[in-house]
Amino acid sequence: MSQPQPAGGKPGAPGRSAAVPAWREALDRLRAAAVTEPGRLRVIGAVLALVLVAFGAVTAWQAASREAAADAVVDTSQPLSADAAAIYRSLADADTTAASGFLAGGQEPRAVRQRYEKDIALASRLLVKAASAGEASGEARSRVAALNEGLPRYTGLVEAARANNRQGLPLGGAYLRYAGDRMREELLPAARGLYEAETRRLGSDYDDAQSWPWAALALGVVALGALAWAQRRTYLRTNRVFNHGLLAATAACAVVLLWLIAGHAVARSGLESSYAHGARSLQALTEARIGSLQARRDENLTMVARGAVLTKDGDDQYEANYRAGMGRLVGGERGPAREGSLLERARSLADDTEGRAPVDAAIEDVRTWQQRHGEVRTLADDRGDYKEALQKVIGDKDSTGASFDRVDTELERALVYEQDEFRQAADDGRGAFSGLAAGAAVLTVLGAAGAVVGVGRRLSEYR
């Protein structure tokens, strides 16, 4: 006799319903809850809190990164750029001073010797500082290494030139010219490369500090839009104009967004001003000061070589270099500085009378220098009076050396003034970031709490 089978089952298998996974049951419950008004409110509260916290986190991150870049502009990259310029200037001045001391004969003036030693010591100290900069680029490190390697060789050649000059041996001039060639062909290009690398780093820090925080701004707009939508939804369902929690969250979000926009705009304005009227002016003045040093070095070497080094056209090489350098520095031989010259550019970048005054004085001193140089060439070339011409180059009064010293002093005064202008504007710019990261984090967390409380008040009406 056959056994009865359970309805709907397989033969020999007990009847049972298909098992449902736990996660599927939880998901079904969530879906069922989401279609109810309390469930929707819980989802809305969670999304609003998440968006506000994300807005605060991104704002704090982007504000902190821009504040760090602004700090780097003021405390790291600009000082390193200035140090690199000082290395270049010190080396160029040391070379110029060595030539001046050589022209004085076997008994080198003590002041000239001290100036040379001071230049070499300053360059060495700044090279050590540049080498210890933790974030220096690979190019900057290679330039510093080349300078550290070449500087002792240069000073050795200068000492050999001095030793031969004290003994009255003509070989001293050859040593000095060779030292000058090493300075011009190896050391100064390496120093310029270091200056350019640090200047590019300064520009990169400026770009990082001034870039708009688009991600934070976009999240702020999204957060405000979500809060406005939530309040409008609440109004349409309850006919209540205000929800205090959501209103507080909206106020906190609006404050952070406005603070971010205004703070960044002020910081950007200050940093742009520090670049336009500070950093660019400093770069132009540095180039002009270096140009004057190179012209002075070539003028001295003209007297040292006395026509021993010629161009392909048979002209005095150092005199040709001097004239080309003066052309870059100031343009023609009289009147205002020509457009495109180093001193004209430095003058045009000065934004006030106090900044232009030392540059104007330097231009006048360069014109006097050019006039006196013409007298030197007349004495040396036309009259053959080398001794008198030499006095007009290295003498204490009415000499080209005195004119050069005044030019250098005026340009240094302009550099000090523009450095103060840069520092003040840059400090104002980076000060606008102060407290923004921390304030944004605190306000958005409070806003998220306000949103949760506001939605919670609505939920309590369903209990």
Side-chain angles (χ1 to χ4, degrees):
M1 187 172 184
S2 61
Q3 298 293 328
Q5 300 295 326
K10 293 181 179 180
R16 59 185 178 86
S17 60
V20 178
W23 66 268
R24 178 66 63 84
E25 292 182 357
L27 181 62
D28 290 341
R29 285 196 297 270
L30 285 175
R31 287 175 177 172
V35 299
T36 66
E37 182 61 15
R40 293 192 186 97
L41 289 173
R42 290 188 181 93
V43 172
I44 290 171
V47 170
L48 289 176
L50 180 62
V51 170
L52 283 166
V53 170
F55 172 45
V58 173
T59 299
W61 164 56
Q62 293 199 310
S65 67
R66 281 150 181 78
E67 184 176 11
D71 288 339
V73 166
V74 180
D75 298 330
T76 305
S77 52
Q78 198 281 327
L80 285 175
S81 177
D83 286 347
I87 291 171
Y88 193 111
R89 183 205 167 273
S90 296
L91 293 175
D93 190 65
D95 197 40
T96 300
T97 305
S100 297
F102 189 90
L103 287 174
Q107 297 299 320
E108 183 179 21
R110 180 178 179 82
V112 173
R113 176 70 177 179
Q114 288 177 339
R115 179 169 176 170
Y116 168 83
E117 292 176 345
K118 181 180 178 181
D119 285 333
I120 295 298
L122 177 60
S124 300
R125 179 170 58 82
L126 293 178
L127 283 172
V128 171
K129 182 178 177 182
S132 63
E135 299 179 0
S137 65
E139 181 183 0
R141 288 194 295 270
S142 67
R143 301 293 188 181
V144 170
L147 287 165
N148 280 325
E149 182 180 352
L151 187 56
R153 288 202 298 265
Y154 169 79
T155 55
L157 290 170
V158 171
E159 292 306 317
R162 283 198 176 107
N164 282 276
N165 194 37
R166 282 194 296 268
Q167 299 176 52
L169 299 177
L171 190 59
Y175 271 113
L176 187 67
R177 289 194 299 272
Y178 186 67
D181 290 343
R182 298 286 67 72
M183 176 65 74
R184 185 175 62 255
E185 297 171 7
E186 296 176 5
L187 293 179
L188 290 182
R192 177 170 286 279
L194 176 62
Y195 172 66
E196 291 173 350
E198 297 298 353
T199 300
R200 284 194 295 271
R201 178 180 176 182
L202 174 61
S204 176
D205 286 338
Y206 263 114
D207 291 341
D208 291 342
Q210 291 177 302
S211 61
W212 281 98
W214 294 114
L217 293 173
L219 273 174
V221 172
V222 169
L224 277 179
L227 287 166
W229 173 83
Q231 290 178 91
R232 183 175 182 275
R233 183 180 186 279
T234 300
Y235 169 71
L236 293 176
R237 281 165 171 72
T238 65
N239 208 28
R240 296 170 184 168
V241 178
F242 297 117
N243 178 296
H244 294 148
L246 292 178
L247 190 63
T250 303
C253 183
V255 168
V256 173
L257 187 59
L258 290 174
W259 189 359
L260 177 62
I261 294 172
H264 191 80
V266 171
R268 187 182 178 91
S269 176
L271 290 170
E272 285 179 347
S273 178
S274 73
Y275 180 74
H277 305 303
R280 289 182 65 200
S281 291
L282 288 169
Q283 291 170 12
L285 288 166
T286 297
E287 292 287 343
R289 199 175 185 194
I290 289 170
S292 70
L293 281 163
Q294 291 173 334
R296 177 59 178 170
R297 179 198 62 199
D298 288 325
E299 182 179 53
N300 286 340
L301 289 175
T302 300
M303 302 300 294
V304 172
R306 301 178 69 174
V309 181
L310 302 177
T311 65
K312 293 180 180 179
D313 298 329
D315 298 325
D316 188 301
Q317 178 68 66
Y318 296 117
E319 176 66 15
N321 291 344
Y322 164 84
R323 293 187 181 279
M326 277 296 183
R328 291 190 298 270
L329 180 63
V330 77
E333 295 186 358
R334 57 180 61 86
R338 299 290 177 84
E339 184 176 356
S341 65
L342 295 174
L343 284 175
E344 187 278 333
R345 181 168 176 265
R347 188 185 188 282
S348 66
L349 288 172
D351 61 332
D352 54 24
T353 303
E354 192 172 354
R356 285 190 293 270
V359 181
D360 288 335
I363 293 172
E364 292 180 6
D365 291 330
V366 169
R367 294 307 187 199
T368 303
W369 180 4
Q370 289 176 302
Q371 178 184 349
R372 291 174 177 174
H373 180 82
E375 296 171 0
V376 169
R377 299 322 311 160
T378 298
L379 288 169
D381 299 337
D382 299 342
R383 300 181 187 177
D385 192 346
Y386 178 80
K387 183 176 181 181
E388 184 64 24
L390 183 59
Q391 193 61 29
K392 292 285 290 184
V393 172
I394 64 173
D396 295 332
K397 184 179 180 182
D398 297 334
S399 66
T400 59
S403 296
F404 161 74
D405 287 339
R406 283 195 293 270
V407 170
D408 196 60
T409 299
E410 293 296 344
L411 291 179
E412 183 177 12
R413 185 160 69 93
L415 279 165
V416 170
Y417 177 77
E418 295 298 342
Q419 181 69 42
D420 290 341
E421 290 279 289
F422 162 82
R423 185 80 191 199
Q424 181 178 348
D427 281 341
D428 291 342
R430 69 172 176 174
F433 289 120
S434 298
L436 177 55
V442 171
L443 285 173
T444 51
V445 167
L446 291 176
V452 171
V453 170
V455 172
R457 291 290 300 274
R458 287 281 294 119
L459 279 171
S460 66
E461 297 173 0
Y462 290 89
R463 295 171 183 168

